[in-house]
Amino acid sequence: MTTTQKVAVVTGANRGLGFEASRQLAKKGYQVILTSRDEAKGKAAAQKLQAEGLNVIFHPLDVTNDESSQKLAEFIREQFGKLDVLVNNAAIYIDSQTGGNSVFDAKIDTLRQTMETNVYGVLRVTQALIGLMQKQNYGRIVNVSSGAAQLTDMGSGVPTYRISKTALNALTRILANELQGKNILVNSVCPGWVKTDMGGPNAPRTPEQGVDTIVWLATLPDGGATGGFFRDRQPIDW
């Protein structure tokens, strides 16, 4: 079965930026597949958006698991026959829980765990789902990165998170290059400091402001930017 409605997957979408991106894409008429590792939280999040009259369904996804990623791909293939948008939002930030902010205190295991979700997870899910975009010569992939990943302005603090998001930006460039000419646009985004569980209550931006550029990149017209890094809809340095 193939639907004419555009279909979007958002990872790590039971709260924060992922939840708000699901809401905003659904408001634009997309069929949104809200994914989350925690089934109960994911279902509750999808039900909340359904109660707003939005076309959102839940599907479980653990980005660190091959089988889970393949099951999502099979579900989309059977239900919709295609995929138009992938927002790779699922990420962890565990520096502060595991040994502070100095790179000299960073535990290799913390880096390994962070990379598993923030980089390998993005690659795993993209590999599983890319065929659904390639077969229709259309796709938009948005990798949720961070200003902490910018090499031009690289500082210290949160070392494993920084390293993971810098690697994610490299992956964005590689994917964009390999998909050149296929009408599948791949970009990284820095959402800014947003009031979420990860960003904390003192962050200046609302989730709506945080997802504006994510949704903009997810809905770019044909011939739009690819292989870029954006904040507030403007390109920023790597």
Side-chain angles (χ1 to χ4, degrees):
M1 154 181 188
T2 302
T3 177
T4 52
Q5 189 179 21
K6 282 198 159 67
V7 180
V9 165
V10 184
T11 70
N14 60 289
R15 63 181 194 192
L17 290 171
F19 179 76
E20 190 58 38
S22 298
R23 174 187 272 142
Q24 298 302 333
L25 284 167
K27 279 185 172 178
K28 286 184 175 290
Y30 284 69
Q31 166 65 65
V32 175
I33 304 163
L34 179 156
T35 73
S36 162
R37 191 171 46 182
D38 185 310
E39 199 150 336
K41 287 177 181 171
K43 279 181 177 164
Q47 282 162 2
K48 191 172 173 188
L49 294 177
Q50 287 160 9
E52 295 176 19
L54 298 172
N55 222 345
V56 177
I57 56 172
F58 169 72
H59 197 281
L61 175 66
D62 177 355
V63 303
T64 67
N65 183 284
D66 286 338
E67 189 187 359
S68 178
S69 302
Q70 291 302 330
K71 277 185 174 165
L72 174 63
E74 284 161 28
F75 169 77
I76 298 167
R77 200 171 292 116
E78 285 166 17
Q79 292 295 313
F80 306 108
K82 63 163 190 168
L83 179 65
D84 300 283
V85 169
L86 171 59
V87 178
N88 285 308
N89 169 72
I92 61 170
Y93 169 71
I94 55 173
D95 284 271
S96 54
Q97 302 161 23
T98 52
N101 269 336
S102 169
V103 72
F104 299 114
D105 299 326
K107 294 179 171 56
I108 297 297
D109 197 51
T110 304
L111 178 58
R112 193 177 286 121
Q113 275 184 64
T114 303
M115 293 289 283
E116 187 64 61
T117 296
N118 297 8
V119 184
Y120 311 153
V122 171
L123 179 56
R124 179 181 286 111
V125 172
T126 304
Q127 285 175 336
L129 300 183
I130 194 66
L132 291 156
M133 292 180 170
Q134 286 171 318
K135 74 177 226 186
Q136 62 168 355
N137 293 309
Y138 180 93
R140 304 291 182 260
I141 300 172
V142 184
N143 293 332
V144 180
S145 185
S146 166
Q150 285 184 279
L151 290 170
T152 49
D153 190 30
M154 185 58 70
S156 56
V158 296
T160 70
Y161 184 74
R162 282 183 187 277
I163 291 167
S164 75
K165 292 299 189 180
T166 305
L168 175 64
N169 282 353
L171 180 58
T172 295
R173 297 284 285 175
I174 295 165
L175 290 168
N177 193 273
E178 198 154 328
L179 291 164
Q180 208 82 40
K182 303 267 196 318
N183 196 24
I184 300 172
L185 309 178
V186 190
N187 292 287
S188 280
V189 57
C190 166
W193 185 18
V194 183
K195 279 187 183 71
T196 61
D197 286 4
M198 192 185 278
N202 299 323
R205 291 188 173 208
T206 63
E208 292 87 341
Q209 291 169 323
V211 303
D212 175 74
T213 303
I214 295 172
V215 173
W216 174 69
L217 289 169
T219 56
L220 284 174
D222 292 354
T226 191
F229 192 13
F230 291 87
R231 181 192 289 131
D232 297 330
R233 302 194 183 195
Q234 297 298 316
I236 58 175
D237 291 333
W238 295 101

